[in-house]
Amino acid sequence: MQVSYYPGCSLEATARDYTESIMALMPKLDVELVELPDWNCCGATAAHSLDHRAALNLGVRNLIIAAEGPQPLVVPCALCFSRLKFAQMEAKKEPDLLLPEFAEKLDLLSAVEVVELNRFLTSAEMIERITAAGNKSLKGLKPVAYYGCQGQRPYDVTGAPDYEHPKGMEILLSGLGADVRDWDFGTDCCGASHTIARPDLVYTLAGRLFEQAIKSGANCIATGCQMCQANLDMQQQKTAKALGRELNLPVFYFTELIAMALGDGGYSRWLGRHFVDPASLLKSIDFPAQVGETL
């Protein structure tokens, strides 16, 4: 199966562990990612906050490129997914804002099916492929599935039918042996980029997520959003200080867990980049580190 692939900026920098797990995973599922040639920034937060026209054209350019490739267009970053979906919708409402060379290709946008990675991998077909290929059980892991808000809402943009309570990751990880815990906070905001301007908001929002995850009996968190992963992983000890309690919840990308369950031995390298070390948790459930390597 061939699909188009838009990595986005952060997956080539701060979220390289996410990228590496995706690249390790896809060949095992017979999925070929065809990266968009000469892709550009999606027009994320800084751009669309300052210049709507510029952000719109940035997104539309990517969509025009994607129209020439295989479908769907798979996007791992929830923020990139959101901006590309917004661009697809807004371009039709505001064609006068498009550059002339983009306006004349406006019809191409309707041919692009933009899909967030977690929805792609949790389709019925992909869950069947993944669970059939799994050879290492995730038994002992008790994650809560955390989707974040950007890939789910607003409904009229994302089209997510279960935007308040998605269950795809729960079904998938359960099929790989994990004891997924039930909670009602899978699409609550983590604070996103407020880490810079208002870290107190992040500590409050992330703190609530940690408290609810622990209340559910979770021993880790699984997510498909690198902004969420960064806030919950990198800021965990600062959040713990703000809460006045200890926290030690590893925050996995769900693709890391899938690749681990499918027997990929490179996970020690990815997880070694996490701020909250998952080594003790994995050892406690007898999940082996890569031969000759320790976490």
Side-chain angles (χ1 to χ4, degrees), residues 108-178:
L108 292 177
L109 270 60
S110 60
V112 183
E113 181 188 358
V114 185
V115 179
E116 190 182 8
L117 178 65
N118 70 43
R119 185 163 292 274
F120 174 72
L121 287 176
T122 58
S123 67
E125 177 187 355
M126 295 309 298
I127 287 178
E128 184 177 350
R129 288 194 190 195
I130 292 167
T131 54
N135 58 26
K136 288 188 177 182
S137 175
L138 298 179
K139 183 179 180 180
L141 289 185
K142 300 176 183 179
V144 286
Y146 183 55
Y147 298 81
C149 55
Q150 290 289 317
Q152 309 303 315
R153 299 189 292 270
Y155 167 76
D156 61 349
V157 175
T158 67
D162 47 0
Y163 57 92
E164 290 289 352
H165 296 286
K167 291 296 180 184
M169 282 198 284
E170 285 91 333
I171 295 170
L172 174 58
L173 295 175
S174 293
L176 294 173

Side-chain angles (χ1 to χ4, degrees), residues 195 199 202-203 210 230-240:
T195 302
V202 174
Y203 303 153
F210 286 126
N231 276 353
L232 298 180
D233 180 49
M234 294 173 64
Q235 302 296 324
Q236 189 166 146
Q237 294 313 308
K238 292 181 179 178
T239 301

Side-chain angles (χ1 to χ4, degrees), residues 86-278:
F86 266 106
Q88 194 172 37
M89 180 183 72
E90 292 171 345
K92 296 176 182 179
K93 294 181 179 179
E94 303 174 297
D96 54 308
L97 295 182
L98 299 180
L99 296 173
E101 60 267 35
F102 296 163
E104 64 185 25
K105 296 180 179 180
L106 182 59
D107 290 344
L108 292 177
L109 270 60
S110 60
V112 183
E113 181 188 358
V114 185
V115 179
E116 190 182 8
L117 178 65
N118 70 43
R119 185 163 292 274
F120 174 72
L121 287 176
T122 58
S123 67
E125 177 187 355
M126 295 309 298
I127 287 178
E128 184 177 350
R129 288 194 190 195
I130 292 167
T131 54
N135 58 26
K136 288 188 177 182
S137 175
L138 298 179
K139 183 179 180 180
L141 289 185
K142 300 176 183 179
V144 286
Y146 183 55
Y147 298 81
C149 55
Q150 290 289 317
Q152 309 303 315
R153 299 189 292 270
Y155 167 76
D156 61 349
V157 175
T158 67
D162 47 0
Y163 57 92
E164 290 289 352
H165 296 286
K167 291 296 180 184
M169 282 198 284
E170 285 91 333
I171 295 170
L172 174 58
L173 295 175
S174 293
L176 294 173
D179 179 11
V180 183
R181 314 306 288 179
D182 187 39
W183 72 333
D184 294 323
F185 294 81
T187 60
D188 278 31
C189 182
C190 68
S193 55
H194 284 299
T195 302
I196 298 171
R198 289 291 306 277
D200 58 307
L201 292 179
V202 174
Y203 303 153
T204 298
L205 292 171
R208 182 172 62 181
L209 295 174
F210 286 126
E211 289 178 333
Q212 293 301 320
I214 292 169
K215 185 177 179 180
S216 76
N219 60 14
C220 61
I221 297 173
T223 187
C225 171
Q226 81 282 2
M227 177 65 78
C228 297
Q229 199 278 342
N231 276 353
L232 298 180
D233 180 49
M234 294 173 64
Q235 302 296 324
Q236 189 166 146
Q237 294 313 308
K238 292 181 179 178
T239 301
K241 184 177 181 180
L243 292 175
R245 64 173 299 173
E246 291 187 5
L247 291 173
N248 187 35
L249 278 182
V251 186
F252 296 98
Y253 289 111
F254 80 114
T255 50
E256 292 175 327
L257 295 177
I258 299 170
M260 288 162 60
L262 267 57
D264 191 276
Y267 67 85
S268 295
R269 182 178 66 255
W270 320 325
L271 300 184
R273 298 198 181 104
H274 291 204
F275 280 69
V276 179
D277 189 354

Side-chain angles (χ1 to χ4, degrees), residues 52-69:
H52 173 64
R53 182 172 183 267
L56 177 60
N57 280 276
L58 285 169
V60 167
R61 181 179 181 275
N62 288 313
L63 293 170
I64 290 172
I65 296 171
E68 303 297 327

